[in-house]
Protein backbone atom coordinates (compact mmCIF):
# COMPACT_ATOMS: atom_id res chain seq x y z
CA UNK A 1 0.00 0.00 0.00
CA UNK A 2 2.79 2.41 0.97
CA UNK A 3 4.68 1.58 -2.22
CA UNK A 4 1.60 2.34 -4.32
CA UNK A 5 1.10 5.67 -2.56
CA UNK A 6 4.72 6.59 -3.15
CA UNK A 7 4.38 5.78 -6.84
CA UNK A 8 1.20 7.89 -7.12
CA UNK A 9 2.90 10.73 -5.27
CA UNK A 10 5.95 10.55 -7.54
CA UNK A 11 3.85 10.46 -10.73
CA UNK A 12 1.76 13.38 -9.48
CA UNK A 13 4.90 15.36 -8.66
CA UNK A 14 6.37 14.72 -12.12
CA UNK A 15 3.15 15.78 -13.86
CA UNK A 16 2.96 18.97 -11.81
CA UNK A 17 6.65 19.67 -12.49
CA UNK A 18 6.09 19.16 -16.23
CA UNK A 19 3.12 21.54 -16.22
CA UNK A 20 5.19 24.10 -14.32
CA UNK A 21 7.98 23.89 -16.89
CA UNK A 22 5.77 24.36 -19.97
CA UNK A 23 3.28 26.89 -18.59
CA UNK A 24 3.14 30.29 -20.33
CA UNK A 25 2.22 33.55 -18.62
CA UNK A 26 -1.51 34.24 -18.27
CA UNK A 27 -1.60 37.83 -17.00
CA UNK A 28 -1.84 39.75 -20.27
CA UNK A 29 -4.58 40.33 -22.83
CA UNK A 30 -3.12 39.36 -26.22
CA UNK A 31 -6.33 39.48 -28.23
CA UNK A 32 -5.11 42.45 -30.27
CA UNK A 33 -2.59 40.15 -31.95
CA UNK A 34 -5.17 37.60 -33.10
CA UNK A 35 -6.16 37.33 -36.74
CA UNK A 36 -3.15 39.18 -38.13
CA UNK A 37 -1.19 38.05 -41.16
CA UNK A 38 2.50 38.88 -40.72
CA UNK A 39 4.68 39.03 -43.83
CA UNK A 40 7.79 36.94 -43.13
CA UNK A 41 10.81 39.27 -43.35
CA UNK A 42 8.60 41.64 -45.30
CA UNK A 43 6.67 41.05 -48.50
CA UNK A 44 9.67 39.75 -50.41
CA UNK A 45 9.68 38.20 -53.86
CA UNK A 46 12.10 37.96 -56.82
CA UNK A 47 14.07 41.23 -57.05
CA UNK A 48 12.74 42.38 -53.67
CA UNK A 49 14.90 40.63 -51.04
CA UNK A 50 13.87 39.60 -47.56
CA UNK A 51 14.40 42.02 -44.67
CA UNK A 52 14.83 44.91 -47.11
CA UNK A 53 13.35 48.39 -46.97
CA UNK A 54 11.28 47.74 -50.08
CA UNK A 55 9.91 44.44 -48.74
CA UNK A 56 8.79 46.18 -45.57
CA UNK A 57 7.24 49.09 -47.46
CA UNK A 58 5.28 46.70 -49.69
CA UNK A 59 3.97 44.79 -46.67
CA UNK A 60 2.91 47.96 -44.84
CA UNK A 61 1.30 49.44 -47.96
CA UNK A 62 -0.64 46.21 -48.52
CA UNK A 63 -2.01 46.31 -44.96
CA UNK A 64 -0.09 43.34 -43.57
CA UNK A 65 1.80 43.03 -40.35
CA UNK A 66 5.53 42.30 -40.54
CA UNK A 67 7.90 39.82 -38.94
CA UNK A 68 11.59 40.75 -38.94
CA UNK A 69 14.93 39.86 -37.34
CA UNK A 70 17.38 42.09 -35.49
CA UNK A 71 21.00 41.71 -34.40
CA UNK A 72 24.13 43.80 -33.79
CA UNK A 73 26.78 44.84 -36.26
CA UNK A 74 30.39 45.02 -35.02
CA UNK A 75 29.90 48.65 -33.92
CA UNK A 76 26.65 47.68 -32.13
CA UNK A 77 24.23 49.17 -34.60
CA UNK A 78 20.96 47.25 -34.64
CA UNK A 79 20.49 45.93 -38.15
CA UNK A 80 17.62 43.96 -39.66
CA UNK A 81 19.08 40.71 -40.97
CA UNK A 82 18.27 37.05 -40.35
CA UNK A 83 21.44 34.99 -40.78
CA UNK A 84 24.56 35.12 -38.65
CA UNK A 85 26.65 35.30 -41.82
CA UNK A 86 26.43 37.28 -45.05
CA UNK A 87 26.95 34.21 -47.26
CA UNK A 88 23.39 33.44 -48.34
CA UNK A 89 22.06 36.95 -48.87
CA UNK A 90 25.19 38.89 -49.85
CA UNK A 91 27.62 36.28 -51.16
CA UNK A 92 30.29 37.31 -48.65
CA UNK A 93 32.05 34.91 -46.26
CA UNK A 94 31.80 37.09 -43.18
CA UNK A 95 29.69 37.27 -40.04
CA UNK A 96 27.42 40.26 -39.56
CA UNK A 97 29.03 40.78 -36.15
CA UNK A 98 32.46 41.08 -37.81
CA UNK A 99 31.42 44.11 -39.89
CA UNK A 100 30.69 47.69 -38.92
CA UNK A 101 27.50 49.15 -40.29
CA UNK A 102 29.47 51.21 -42.79
CA UNK A 103 31.12 48.01 -44.01
CA UNK A 104 27.75 46.29 -44.33
CA UNK A 105 26.60 49.07 -46.65
CA UNK A 106 29.20 47.85 -49.17
CA UNK A 107 27.18 44.67 -49.71
CA UNK A 108 23.95 44.29 -51.64
CA UNK A 109 21.04 42.07 -50.67
CA UNK A 110 20.66 39.20 -53.12
CA UNK A 111 22.20 41.11 -56.03
CA UNK A 112 19.76 44.04 -55.86
CA UNK A 113 20.27 47.70 -54.99
CA UNK A 114 18.85 47.04 -51.52
CA UNK A 115 21.18 47.24 -48.50
CA UNK A 116 20.96 45.84 -44.98
CA UNK A 117 18.79 48.39 -43.15
CA UNK A 118 19.04 49.78 -39.65
CA UNK A 119 16.21 48.80 -37.31
CA UNK A 120 15.46 52.49 -36.75
CA UNK A 121 15.01 52.99 -40.50
CA UNK A 122 12.67 50.02 -40.79
CA UNK A 123 10.47 51.27 -37.97
CA UNK A 124 10.04 54.50 -39.90
CA UNK A 125 9.16 52.61 -43.08
CA UNK A 126 6.56 50.44 -41.33
CA UNK A 127 4.61 53.49 -40.16
CA UNK A 128 2.77 51.66 -37.39
CA UNK A 129 2.10 48.32 -39.13
CA UNK A 130 1.71 45.40 -36.65
CA UNK A 131 5.16 44.06 -35.89
CA UNK A 132 6.70 40.81 -34.64
CA UNK A 133 10.34 41.53 -33.79
CA UNK A 134 12.57 38.48 -33.45
CA UNK A 135 15.66 39.15 -31.38
CA UNK A 136 18.35 36.89 -32.81
CA UNK A 137 20.75 35.17 -30.45
CA UNK A 138 23.75 35.40 -32.83
CA UNK A 139 25.26 37.95 -30.44
CA UNK A 140 24.74 35.62 -27.48
CA UNK A 141 21.85 33.99 -25.65
CA UNK A 142 22.23 36.49 -22.83
CA UNK A 143 23.15 39.68 -24.69
CA UNK A 144 20.79 41.90 -22.73
CA UNK A 145 22.32 45.04 -24.18
CA UNK A 146 20.62 44.16 -27.47
CA UNK A 147 17.30 43.89 -25.61
CA UNK A 148 17.86 47.28 -23.98
CA UNK A 149 18.76 49.02 -27.22
CA UNK A 150 15.88 47.38 -29.10
CA UNK A 151 13.43 48.54 -26.45
CA UNK A 152 14.68 52.12 -26.70
CA UNK A 153 13.67 52.09 -30.36
CA UNK A 154 10.46 50.10 -29.96
CA UNK A 155 9.06 52.19 -27.12
CA UNK A 156 8.36 55.04 -29.53
CA UNK A 157 6.80 52.85 -32.20
CA UNK A 158 3.22 53.92 -32.85
CA UNK A 159 1.88 50.55 -33.92
CA UNK A 160 1.11 47.23 -32.27
CA UNK A 161 4.27 45.22 -31.61
CA UNK A 162 5.67 42.24 -29.73
CA UNK A 163 9.06 40.59 -29.37
CA UNK A 164 10.10 36.95 -29.65
CA UNK A 165 13.27 34.89 -29.55
CA UNK A 166 14.55 31.33 -29.55
CA UNK A 167 16.62 32.29 -26.52
CA UNK A 168 14.45 32.02 -23.39
CA UNK A 169 16.93 34.28 -21.59
CA UNK A 170 16.37 37.18 -23.97
CA UNK A 171 12.61 36.72 -23.60
CA UNK A 172 13.07 36.57 -19.82
CA UNK A 173 14.78 39.98 -19.89
CA UNK A 174 11.56 41.53 -21.16
CA UNK A 175 9.55 39.62 -18.57
CA UNK A 176 11.71 41.01 -15.79
CA UNK A 177 12.57 44.51 -17.05
CA UNK A 178 9.68 45.48 -19.33
CA UNK A 179 6.85 43.19 -18.35
CA UNK A 180 4.36 45.33 -20.26
CA UNK A 181 5.80 44.23 -23.63
CA UNK A 182 4.08 41.21 -25.15
CA UNK A 183 6.73 38.52 -25.51
CA UNK A 184 6.86 35.16 -27.27
CA UNK A 185 8.88 31.98 -27.11
CA UNK A 186 10.02 30.73 -30.52
CA UNK A 187 10.37 27.02 -31.13
CA UNK A 188 9.95 24.12 -33.55
CA UNK A 189 10.73 20.40 -33.71
CA UNK A 190 14.49 20.96 -34.28
CA UNK A 191 14.65 17.44 -35.74
CA UNK A 192 16.12 18.76 -38.98
CA UNK A 193 18.49 21.23 -37.31
CA UNK A 194 21.98 19.74 -37.24
CA UNK A 195 23.35 22.74 -35.33
CA UNK A 196 21.31 21.87 -32.22
CA UNK A 197 22.29 18.87 -30.12
CA UNK A 198 19.57 16.27 -29.39
CA UNK A 199 19.16 17.22 -25.72
CA UNK A 200 18.71 20.91 -26.48
CA UNK A 201 16.38 20.03 -29.33
CA UNK A 202 14.22 17.90 -27.02
CA UNK A 203 14.01 20.64 -24.39
CA UNK A 204 13.19 23.37 -26.94
CA UNK A 205 10.78 21.18 -28.92
CA UNK A 206 8.73 20.40 -25.84
CA UNK A 207 8.76 23.98 -24.51
CA UNK A 208 10.48 22.91 -21.31
CA UNK A 209 12.16 26.35 -21.35
CA UNK A 210 8.89 28.21 -20.75
CA UNK A 211 9.63 28.33 -17.02
CA UNK A 212 12.52 30.66 -17.88
CA UNK A 213 10.78 32.92 -20.41
CA UNK A 214 7.15 32.60 -19.20
CA UNK A 215 6.01 33.83 -22.63
CA UNK A 216 2.73 35.56 -23.40
CA UNK A 217 2.53 33.63 -26.68
CA UNK A 218 4.06 30.65 -28.42
CA UNK A 219 5.54 31.14 -31.88
CA UNK A 220 5.91 27.69 -33.43
CA UNK A 221 6.71 26.26 -36.86
CA UNK A 222 3.29 25.51 -38.29
CA UNK A 223 4.31 22.07 -39.63
CA UNK A 224 5.58 20.84 -36.24
CA UNK A 225 2.38 20.91 -34.17
CA UNK A 226 2.37 17.17 -33.43
CA UNK A 227 5.05 17.59 -30.76
CA UNK A 228 3.93 16.75 -27.23
CA UNK A 229 5.06 20.04 -25.70
CA UNK A 230 3.18 22.19 -28.21
CA UNK A 231 0.02 20.09 -27.96
CA UNK A 232 0.00 20.16 -24.18
CA UNK A 233 0.81 23.84 -23.84
CA UNK A 234 -1.79 24.91 -26.40
CA UNK A 235 -4.58 22.64 -25.15
CA UNK A 236 -4.07 23.03 -21.40
CA UNK A 237 -3.10 26.71 -21.16
CA UNK A 238 -4.61 28.14 -24.38
CA UNK A 239 -2.01 30.89 -25.00
CA UNK A 240 -1.85 33.10 -28.08
CA UNK A 241 -0.37 30.98 -30.89
CA UNK A 242 1.52 32.39 -33.86
CA UNK A 243 2.43 29.95 -36.63
CA UNK A 244 5.46 30.30 -38.92
CA UNK A 245 6.15 30.22 -41.86
CA UNK A 246 3.21 29.25 -44.10
CA UNK A 247 4.14 29.37 -47.78
CA UNK A 248 1.27 29.62 -50.24
CA UNK A 249 -2.49 29.14 -49.94
CA UNK A 250 -2.64 25.52 -48.82
CA UNK A 251 -0.13 25.90 -46.00
CA UNK A 252 -1.87 29.05 -44.83
CA UNK A 253 -5.26 27.31 -44.75
CA UNK A 254 -3.79 24.60 -42.56
CA UNK A 255 -1.98 27.08 -40.32
CA UNK A 256 -5.11 29.11 -39.64
CA UNK A 257 -6.81 25.99 -38.27
CA UNK A 258 -4.24 25.71 -35.47
CA UNK A 259 -2.96 29.24 -34.86
CA UNK A 260 -4.42 32.60 -33.90
CA UNK A 261 -2.11 34.50 -36.26
CA UNK A 262 0.10 33.40 -39.14
CA UNK A 263 3.49 34.47 -40.46
CA UNK A 264 3.38 33.89 -44.21
CA UNK A 265 5.33 34.13 -47.45
CA UNK A 266 4.22 34.80 -51.05
CA UNK A 267 1.91 37.49 -52.36
CA UNK A 268 -0.90 35.02 -53.07
CA UNK A 269 -2.01 34.43 -49.54
CA UNK A 270 -5.02 32.97 -47.85
CA UNK A 271 -7.53 35.39 -46.30
CA UNK A 272 -9.24 33.71 -43.31
CA UNK A 273 -12.14 36.18 -43.56
CA UNK A 274 -13.14 35.09 -47.07
Amino acid sequence: MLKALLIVAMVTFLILLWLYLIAPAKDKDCNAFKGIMFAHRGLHQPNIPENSGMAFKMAADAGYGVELDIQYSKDMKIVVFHDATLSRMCGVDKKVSECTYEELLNYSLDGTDEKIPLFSEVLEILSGAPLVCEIKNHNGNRNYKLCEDAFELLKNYKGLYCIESFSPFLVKWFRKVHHEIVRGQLSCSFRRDKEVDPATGFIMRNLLINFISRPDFISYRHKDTNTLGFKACSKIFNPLLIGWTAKGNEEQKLAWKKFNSVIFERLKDYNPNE
Side-chain angles (χ1 to χ4, degrees):
M1 182 65 176
L2 179 60
K3 184 178 180 180
L5 288 174
L6 287 174
I7 292 173
V8 170
M10 180 60 69
V11 170
T12 301
F13 170 77
L14 291 175
I15 292 173
L16 292 175
L17 175 62
W18 175 59
L19 292 174
Y20 170 79
L21 294 176
I22 69 170
K26 293 294 289 183
D27 60 345
K28 206 175 278 125
D29 183 359
C30 296
N31 286 326
F33 291 90
K34 291 183 177 180
I36 299 176
M37 298 183 70
F38 294 96
H40 185 232
R41 307 175 196 169
L43 207 54
H44 59 91
Q45 54 187 290
N47 301 319
I48 300 177
E50 66 181 53
N51 278 330
S52 67
M54 183 55 69
F56 295 130
K57 184 179 187 305
M58 286 188 63
D61 289 349
Y64 295 116
V66 161
E67 181 271 349
L68 54 74
D69 315 276
I70 63 171
Q71 58 181 296
Y72 272 141
S73 62
K74 183 178 180 179
D75 51 347
M76 299 184 73
K77 302 290 186 182
I78 301 182
V79 296
V80 180
F81 196 79
H82 177 270
D83 300 355
T85 73
L86 299 167
S87 302
R88 181 176 64 91
M89 288 302 299
C90 301
V92 178
D93 188 20
K94 290 183 179 180
K95 292 183 178 180
V96 176
S97 59
E98 293 174 343
C99 303
T100 66
Y101 179 63
E102 291 300 317
E103 290 172 328
L104 291 175
L105 290 178
N106 293 321
Y107 309 124
S108 297
L109 289 172
D110 203 20
T112 68
D113 292 332
E114 294 286 324
K115 306 293 184 180
I116 297 172
L118 290 170
F119 187 36
S120 57
E121 295 172 341
V122 172
L123 293 177
E124 291 289 332
I125 292 170
L126 291 178
S127 301
L131 171 63
V132 176
C133 176
E134 179 183 345
I135 301 178
K136 305 301 292 185
N137 57 353
H138 303 322
N139 306 116
N141 280 314
R142 289 181 170 88
N143 192 329
Y144 303 129
K145 176 64 174 167
L146 178 57
C147 296
E148 293 173 7
D149 290 347
F151 172 75
E152 287 302 311
L153 294 173
L154 284 167
K155 71 179 183 181
N156 296 316
Y157 188 63
K158 302 303 181 184
L160 186 72
Y161 72 89
C162 60
I163 67 95
E164 64 180 17
S165 183
F166 279 102
S167 168
F169 302 103
L170 298 180
V171 180
K172 179 183 178 181
W173 183 90
F174 280 90
R175 176 168 70 91
K176 292 292 188 180
V177 182
H178 286 290
H179 188 80
E180 73 279 8
I181 306 301
V182 174
R183 62 192 182 274
Q185 180 62 57
L186 266 165
S187 195
C188 60
S189 74
F190 287 99
R191 289 190 172 92
R192 297 181 293 275
D193 193 336
K194 296 181 180 179
E195 295 182 5
V196 176
D197 65 85
T200 300
F202 176 85
I203 291 169
M204 293 291 295
R205 173 167 62 250
N206 289 291
L207 298 173
L208 297 171
I209 33 73
N210 280 1
F211 80 100
I212 299 172
S213 55
R214 285 290 180 250
D216 298 306
F217 68 92
I218 304 300
S219 187
Y220 215 82
R221 183 188 282 144
H222 80 98
K223 293 182 178 181
D224 295 344
T225 54
N226 284 329
T227 57
L228 176 61
F230 177 83
K231 282 184 175 180
C233 184
S234 59
K235 297 296 184 183
I236 297 171
F237 299 105
N238 193 32
L240 173 71
L241 301 174
I242 298 181
W244 57 273
T245 298
K247 300 179 181 181
N249 289 15
E250 292 306 312
E251 286 193 14
Q252 288 170 45
K253 288 178 183 179
L254 294 173
W256 277 110
K257 292 178 180 179
K258 299 179 180 180
F259 294 90
N260 305 117
S261 293
V262 172
I263 297 171
F264 76 98
E265 283 187 2
R266 291 178 55 174
L267 274 170
K268 261 189 176 178
D269 52 81
Y270 171 67
N271 185 344
N273 297 316
E274 290 183 350

